Amino acid sequence: SLEHMYELFRVLGEARRILDDQGRLIIAVPNAGGLEAKLFGRWWVNWDPPRHLYHFNKTTLTRLLEQVGFSLVRVRTGVTPVHFVSSLERVWLHWLHCRLPAKRLIEKFVARPFCLVAGNLGYGTELIAYAIKRAGWASATSGMCAGAGMPSSR
């Protein structure tokens, strides 16, 4: 996914190039602006250094797509209870120095309801962006863009 790419603008530029006019692009990335990222802080499993080079919230992902010639159609958040449990396990291990007990019960009765509510409120674990290629768009930035994604510092 996009958070793993070294050359965001080149990759998205190539996607734009090969799409037909009005072609559609769908991107899913971890939501750095989501409730889990805020709740778990540095233990949120999706910071995932060094594999995740960039982190996005709705604003930064929208800005990036617009700067490479796409118009955003819709952004929604997805739910991933397994990531919630993994993040909780990291916190548990850090503070209590043991494995998280009853993971399946926690996933079923805590993580799934939490993620479902967060996702429906727009604060889910992942962002799914639906964008359309803008016709007649010419790059004003020559592939350079400051601040489109949040570089990984975790």
Side-chain angles (χ1 to χ4, degrees), residues 2 8 19 24 32 34 39-40 68-69 79-81 91-92 103 110 114-115 117 120 124 134-135 145 151:
L2 199 58
L8 295 177
L19 281 172
R24 299 190 185 272
L39 177 66
F40 293 113
V68 295
V79 297
T80 315
V91 171
W92 193 274
K103 276 198 256 186
V110 178
F114 175 90
C115 291
V117 170
N120 283 318
R134 283 196 309 241
C145 172

Side-chain angles (χ1 to χ4, degrees), residues 1-4 25-31 56 61 76 126-130:
S1 190
L2 199 58
E3 70 274 11
H4 299 275
L25 177 71
I26 301 171
I27 294 177
V29 294
N31 183 9
F56 300 94
L61 184 58
R76 67 177 183 86
E126 65 182 6
L127 292 171
I128 301 103
Y130 302 84

Side-chain angles (χ1 to χ4, degrees), residues 63-147:
R63 184 182 310 138
L64 173 63
L65 291 171
E66 288 173 349
Q67 289 178 341
V68 295
F70 289 94
S71 294
L72 195 65
V73 174
R74 177 180 177 215
V75 176
R76 67 177 183 86
T77 61
V79 297
T80 315
V82 71
H83 291 170
F84 179 97
V85 173
S86 295
S87 296
L88 181 60
E89 185 166 41
R90 284 176 155 197
V91 171
W92 193 274
L93 189 59
H94 177 78
W95 290 105
L96 301 175
H97 309 289
C98 63
R99 293 278 179 204
L100 181 67
K103 276 198 256 186
R104 286 196 175 178
L105 290 173
I106 290 169
E107 182 178 347
K108 185 174 183 176
F109 295 110
V110 178
R112 286 182 190 170
F114 175 90
C115 291
L116 186 61
V117 170
N120 283 318
L121 291 174
Y123 296 99
T125 308
E126 65 182 6
L127 292 171
I128 301 103
Y130 302 84
I132 190 166
K133 178 180 175 178
R134 283 196 309 241
W137 179 85
S139 172
T141 60
S142 301
M144 301 294 289
C145 172

